[in-house]
Amino acid sequence: MDPSLSVDEASTHQTGLLAGLDVLVGGPIQHAILESGFVGHLRDAITAAVHTATENGANVFSAHVAEKFGAETASFTPEQVAVRDFHWMKKCDVFVAILPVLEDQTLGRTDGTHVELGWATALERPVVLVTEQPFVESASHLLKGLHRVGRVRAVDFDEFKEKPSLLVDAVLAVTEHPA
């Protein structure tokens, strides 16, 4: 999916393994915007997730796309972001959270994504976590144990970068969507 497209544009894909599913793709924004721009490997992973889901027929919601990977984040108020993202969470069939690990082997800060993980669990939305496996030591107990209270599948971040179709398999498994 071209990041310049509006998120509100309906997917034109009517066929594919994820046809009929609404997929919310989340991950760091605020702490991924550097002076030099949005963190490259994270942008690549989020773009791959959005593209893979869209190409497989899903209707995708993404703050990264809506905010043009930080270029237009300042044009949204906190109230607009909270209302928009909560609406997307209530509408979605599955939440895909991209959780990068930093060079020092700690989980990258992403307060909003963790709030969204709470929303997803409370609203009983299936979750796909794209992050290093096994979880890094700095990942919270709540994140590591999320699969005990919700439908959660984890996909290793590096394996996903090499083979984005792993996302499709995980979404199908966690949603029990017929392939």
Side-chain angles (χ1 to χ4, degrees), residues 25-30 42 46 64 95-100 110 112-113 116:
V25 175
I29 294 181
Q30 182 179 359
L42 178 57
I46 291 167
H64 298 88
F95 177 49
V96 175
I98 312 290
L99 302 173
T110 177
T113 308
E116 291 167 338

Side-chain angles (χ1 to χ4, degrees), residues 24-41:
L24 173 56
V25 175
I29 294 181
Q30 182 179 359
H31 295 284
I33 302 170
L34 307 176
E35 285 185 27
S36 59
F38 201 87
V39 174
H41 75 283

Side-chain angles (χ1 to χ4, degrees), residues 40-125:
H41 75 283
L42 178 57
R43 181 184 185 124
D44 293 345
I46 291 167
T47 299
V50 169
H51 176 77
T52 299
T54 302
E55 287 298 308
N56 281 278
N59 182 37
V60 177
F61 309 113
S62 167
H64 298 88
V65 175
E67 298 174 21
K68 299 191 180 352
F69 285 90
E72 294 186 8
T73 296
S75 67
F76 293 89
T77 67
E79 293 79 9
Q80 288 171 320
V81 170
V83 169
R84 176 197 68 199
D85 290 9
F86 189 61
H87 171 76
W88 284 343
M89 186 61 70
K90 290 190 302 185
K91 184 172 175 31
C92 79
D93 297 302
V94 61
F95 177 49
V96 175
I98 312 290
L99 302 173
V101 173
L102 304 175
E103 288 182 19
D104 67 0
Q105 289 304 297
T106 60
L107 195 62
R109 183 172 175 190
T110 177
D111 305 347
T113 308
H114 286 91
V115 168
E116 291 167 338
L117 285 166
W119 289 345
T121 305
L123 293 170
E124 299 183 345
R125 298 300 185 265

